[in-house]
Amino acid sequence: MSESHTFQAEPAQILLVEDNPGDVRLTTEAFEQGQIETDLHVVSDGSEALSFLSRDGEYTDVPRPDLVLLDLNLPGKDGENVLEELKDDPTLRSIPVIVLTSSSADEDIARSYERHANAYLTKPVDPDEFSQTVRAFEQFWFSVVRLPPAEETS
């Protein structure tokens, strides 16, 4: 696909909520190798994620993410709680949330969709497969899907 087919004028803002440094590195590298220009913001726990999304404290000047990549297994407030709080907040619920986790358990998948996750991806163990998964995700979410317009805050 050539650049002329890309409708994106500015880099896609992605919030990665992940506490595993290896997975953060793999995700970052996969986005760097991708076709879509992205700004990847990383937080390592659920409380930080909610502060980032609410632009509280040290996060007052961060951009509103176009999309959230959320691990379920986080220290402190876990990914399920983050997903539930995010989707319960009328100012944040339109942000698509993709669960990207190592769990392939049916109950985790079901609970994530019950809490209104937009997609559920199981992290491949193999680094090359992981990178391919992130690039396929990137291509789909930023070239095929129409994301909701950014909401202006007053």
Side-chain angles (χ1 to χ4, degrees), residues 15-88:
L15 176 60
L16 173 62
V17 187
E18 174 61 70
D19 66 318
N20 180 319
D23 287 348
V24 169
R25 183 182 51 78
L26 285 171
T27 305
T28 301
E29 289 173 1
F31 278 116
E32 286 171 354
Q33 296 166 5
Q35 302 294 314
I36 309 296
E37 190 177 345
T38 58
D39 285 340
L40 187 65
H41 308 273
V42 181
V43 295
S44 59
D45 66 48
S47 296
E48 259 189 292
L50 291 169
S51 291
F52 187 103
L53 290 160
S54 301
R55 298 178 180 158
D56 288 336
E58 67 183 284
Y59 300 108
T60 54
D61 294 327
V62 298
R64 177 184 169 95
D66 295 308
L67 189 130
V68 175
L69 281 173
L70 178 65
D71 187 19
L72 291 182
N73 306 309
L74 298 168
K77 189 178 295 261
D78 69 14
E80 285 186 8
N81 288 28
V82 171
L83 181 59
E84 194 162 28
E85 286 189 42
L86 192 154
K87 293 301 184 177
D88 281 346

Side-chain angles (χ1 to χ4, degrees), residues 30-31 116 130:
F31 278 116
H116 307 287
F130 187 97

Side-chain angles (χ1 to χ4, degrees), residues 101-121:
T101 191
S102 54
S103 173
S104 58
D106 288 345
E107 56 270 16
D108 287 340
I109 296 167
R111 275 196 307 269
S112 293
Y113 282 116
E114 286 167 6
R115 288 172 172 78
H116 307 287
N118 297 83
Y120 189 103
L121 300 173

